[in-house]
Amino acid sequence: ELLAPRRLLYALCARRGLYCLSLDHPGRSRSTSRDDRDSEDGDQPSPVIPVDPDACILPDAALCAFTVLDSVLVTLVQGPARWKMQLFEQPCPGEDPRPGGQIGEVELSTYTPPAGVPGKPAAPHFLPVLCCVSPSGSRVPCDLLGGPGGFTLEDALFGLLFGADATLLQSPVVLCGLPDGQLCCVILKALVTSRSAPGDPNALVKILHHLEEPVIFIGALKTEPQAAEAAENFLPDEDVHSDCLVALGHHGRMLAIKASWDESGKLVPELREYCLPGPVLCAACGGGGRVYHSTPSDLCVVDLSRGSTLLGPEQPEEGPGGLPPMLYPASLNICSVVSLSASPRTHEGGTKLLALSAKGRLMTCSLDLDSEIPGPARMTTESAGRKIKELLSGIGNISERVSFLKKAVDQRNKALTSLNEAMNVSCALLSSGTGPRPISCTTSTTWSRLQTQDVLMATCVLQNSSSFSLDQGWTLCIQVLTSSCALDLDSACSAITYTIPVDQLGPGARREVTLPLGPGENGGLDLPVTVSCTLFYSLREVVGGALAPSDSEDPFLDECPSDVLPEQEGVCLPLSRHTVDMLQCLRFPGLAPPHTRAPSPLGPTRDPVATFLETCREPGSQPAGPASLRAEFLPPSVASIKVSAELLRAALKDGHSGVPLCCATLQWLLAENAAVDVVRARALSSIQGVAPDGADVHLIVREVAMTDLCPAGPIQAVEIQVESSSLADICRAHHAVVGRMQTMVTEQAAQGSSAPDLRVQYLRQIHANHETLLREVQTLRDRLCTEDEASSCATAQRLLQVYRQLRHPSLILL
């Protein structure tokens, strides 16, 4: 607030207190005339006034509002449970601006502090409003009533509002609007007198009204046309007597109080409430009975004067001294004004508003009060119908645009939700380490008969054990990689990828996918087969669909630039890698009971002519064909591997306690085969099965003793032997057994087990023999590429013998 006669500026700082600054320039006399000051200020730039800690004249962190009179400083303090009004004596001009002793104090209504630190009152969301009112007969000039909150009321309204005591004492009255909606008043002279002669504190405070919402503004204005016109012609220094008191709440409720005559001719206060657009940020009273109030979206003006052009065309007129029954706010097309001040009438005519926006912009707005503000005019039926059609058309266009924009917002919200879920799923999978994964994919194999051919089927089960949901954008990718290149160096590996959209896989749900692994078109099954499962999240599908919607009929959506779309197609999250080998694909038709024995599995699709000739041969004769001839005249191929019995017992101790070691080893080798339960139930140590191509494969597990390796004595070992008439099946089965042994040895080596003392020279001799055989293999392979068909037969026979020696090593896994 500005105390103009003393050129002092009072400023209240949050949680600090009240500061006082002198606006006089250094070296300038206080008696300088107004015209001289105006001319000097016009030639010189606005001064910068430093503020030091000594400028704080009333330090108080609980101080929430104040108003300044020439001789009295009124403050409002937030107490623990109630508001407290305090009066301080102002020093004389020229003295230290710090206030003197306290000359009055009174408590107002109960205050309910918001939730905060116990014992410490929290700052209220809305601050109280203070202003000073004096009667028209008071000797206190208008410019001594303080800042913009001080005004003078006509004696009739002043007496009706504040009573005979205030009128007789000719005392200024402090009006207080509280955040709870109460509008109360305190007579200053009665409050000062009560300090020397204490009385009832409740009698000092009078509640005028309750707005039921936080009070934002208290002001006064002229409403009578003649009085308003005369008020506009007053000079700025002249005193103006207002005939209407207004109070405005945060949500738009406005109270107007005016002295009026009732039917019996008695003078009574007329109170009328209006509903204005809200929420109200600030307000100000201007000339001509106008009230300006700001909302976040507009700055509006209402007119309380009689005969206003802002009244509706059918507005009935009230009797003398009455208030209009309704108000019609007129927009000034200015938004987000947080502070407002209305200056007196200028020489050119009109009113000037000084406004501060929420972004810190200081604006002036000049209004021409002489021109009539156009109100709603009478309309004909035809023009009204046309206007209604235009309005309906505009509403339809806006509704259509809103629907398009809402659709776009929904798509982007959905995309953001999906991206958030994808981020959570990625973090959960990448941070799981070696423990159980929140989202897993397990693979199992089984044989199924399709028409006249047996087909190996893989079943992949996607299990969601996390708390997240896999929705739009997620795809399960299953890659099947055959290993024909492992057996034929000249062939290229082939891979098939299956993509299965994952839709609405919530927490705890599972999805099962079955796909064929073989045989292929050539009738063979290339083993081993690797099945890799990966989750793929498509960024292009989710983000691209939200930023660049495919609906081309949306005229209100801007096309998304291409550089905004993600560069990567998506995110890959590996789930599992499963290898299907010969041990999993073996079938054992001889294990089934006689009454439930299934027909022997079919091999690759046979030639119909060969099938016809086989059915026509005589009973008891031997079948013809390469497989039967090989089985009859060639000895079966054999491969073996020896493992320390101690190593196997340590690896199989958890699930095979009490089972003979040979039986436990066979069960461990066939753990992923469908016949493992029958093998376990019969406690078998050897078994004969059928490979996918129809050839027999014999697995034999027996205990042996290795006598030449350890000087301390023989080493107990287990020999795993594979026999088959098919060299390719021997290779595949041997590869599967070696792979399981590698995994077991790696796991046991991590536990730090030590090997026994060995004969190093004997091991070196075995190693040298193996190196010699490998060099001979390379020489024979090179010779096969250069020899003719007649001489290559002996070379191939020798190569086969060397391979058999290599598959019977004299070494043992320890």
Side-chain angles (χ1 to χ4, degrees), residues 13 34 40 181 225 227 303 312 329 407 590 693 719 777 789:
C13 297
R34 180 186 303 268
E40 291 179 6
D303 198 337
K407 179 181 177 182
D693 60 357
E719 182 183 29
V777 166
E789 185 176 357

Side-chain angles (χ1 to χ4, degrees), residues 234-289:
F234 282 151
L235 295 176
D237 290 341
E238 295 187 38
D239 198 0
V240 179
H241 301 163
S242 304
D243 59 4
C244 182
L245 178 69
V246 294
L248 194 57
H250 174 68
H251 300 295
R253 180 174 294 181
M254 176 178 170
L255 170 69
I257 307 177
K258 186 178 180 181
S260 181
W261 301 95
D262 61 4
E263 298 177 355
S264 61
K266 184 179 179 181
L267 194 62
V268 294
E270 178 186 1
L271 283 77
R272 193 178 293 274
E273 285 191 355
Y274 305 97
C275 289
L276 302 181
V280 178
L281 302 179
C282 60
C285 290

Side-chain angles (χ1 to χ4, degrees), residues 591-610:
L591 293 182
H595 62 279
T596 60
R597 184 170 298 173
S600 58
L602 297 175
T605 304
R606 301 179 61 185
D607 185 12
V609 177

Side-chain angles (χ1 to χ4, degrees), residues 56-356:
C56 185
I57 61 173
L58 191 61
D60 191 347
L63 192 59
C64 293
F66 76 98
T67 186
V68 184
L69 282 76
D70 185 59
S71 59
V72 177
L73 172 64
V74 183
T75 62
L76 194 63
V77 178
Q78 175 191 348
R82 301 176 71 89
W83 296 101
K84 184 184 296 184
M85 182 181 293
Q86 298 175 341
L87 269 67
F88 296 91
E89 187 177 3
Q90 282 279 74
C92 297
E95 298 180 358
D96 186 2
R98 298 179 183 274
Q102 182 176 331
I103 58 175
E105 179 179 310
V106 66
E107 289 186 345
L108 304 182
S109 63
T110 303
Y111 166 70
T112 303
V117 181
K120 293 185 178 180
H125 183 65
F126 294 97
L127 295 177
V129 180
L130 285 182
C131 67
C132 189
V133 184
S134 63
S136 59
S138 174
R139 297 180 180 179
V140 181
C142 180
D143 57 357
L144 297 184
L145 290 177
F151 47 84
T152 303
L153 290 182
E154 290 185 348
D155 291 340
L157 180 59
F158 187 89
L160 291 174
L161 290 177
F162 311 121
D165 292 342
T167 305
L168 293 176
L169 291 175
Q170 291 290 300
S171 169
V173 177
V174 176
L175 286 177
C176 181
L178 299 178
D180 61 358
Q182 293 190 57
L183 181 63
C184 54
C185 64
V186 177
I187 303 174
L188 287 185
K189 289 187 178 180
L191 182 58
V192 174
T193 307
S194 66
R195 185 170 181 84
S196 57
D200 184 10
N202 295 328
L204 300 175
V205 181
K206 179 181 179 181
I207 298 178
L208 299 179
H209 193 74
H210 204 303
L211 279 179
E212 299 180 356
E213 59 186 63
V215 179
I216 296 298
F217 171 74
I218 302 174
L221 43 78
K222 282 282 190 180
T223 59
E224 292 297 331
Q226 299 82 4
E229 183 178 355
E232 293 177 359
N233 296 324
F234 282 151
L235 295 176
D237 290 341
E238 295 187 38
D239 198 0
V240 179
H241 301 163
S242 304
D243 59 4
C244 182
L245 178 69
V246 294
L248 194 57
H250 174 68
H251 300 295
R253 180 174 294 181
M254 176 178 170
L255 170 69
I257 307 177
K258 186 178 180 181
S260 181
W261 301 95
D262 61 4
E263 298 177 355
S264 61
K266 184 179 179 181
L267 194 62
V268 294
E270 178 186 1
L271 283 77
R272 193 178 293 274
E273 285 191 355
Y274 305 97
C275 289
L276 302 181
V280 178
L281 302 179
C282 60
C285 290
R290 290 179 171 85
V291 178
Y292 305 89
H293 70 279
S294 171
T295 66
S297 60
D298 205 353
L299 177 62
C300 302
V301 56
V302 293
D303 198 337
L304 292 175
S305 63
R306 294 187 48 78
S308 170
T309 57
L310 290 181
L311 299 179
E314 305 295 334
Q315 177 67 47
E317 293 189 0
E318 293 291 317
L323 291 168
M326 294 184 66
L327 295 180
Y328 298 88
S331 173
L332 299 180
N333 298 323
I334 303 175
C335 64
S336 299
V337 173
V338 296
S339 185
L340 187 65
S341 175
S343 65
R345 182 179 177 90
T346 61
H347 297 289
E348 297 80 7
T351 299
K352 179 176 290 187
L353 299 180
L354 188 64
L356 180 66

Side-chain angles (χ1 to χ4, degrees), residues 28-71:
R28 177 179 296 173
S29 173
R30 290 177 177 264
S31 60
T32 306
S33 66
R34 180 186 303 268
D35 296 337
D36 293 339
R37 288 198 304 266
D38 293 341
S39 61
E40 291 179 6
D41 292 342
D43 296 335
Q44 299 178 2
S46 300
V48 177
I49 304 176
V51 180
D52 52 30
D54 294 339
C56 185
I57 61 173
L58 191 61
D60 191 347
L63 192 59
C64 293
F66 76 98
T67 186
V68 184
L69 282 76
D70 185 59
S71 59

Side-chain angles (χ1 to χ4, degrees), residues 625-642:
S628 60
L629 293 176
R630 183 171 59 244
E632 181 178 0
F633 296 104
L634 292 179
S637 300
V638 180
S640 65
I641 183 171
K642 300 180 182 64

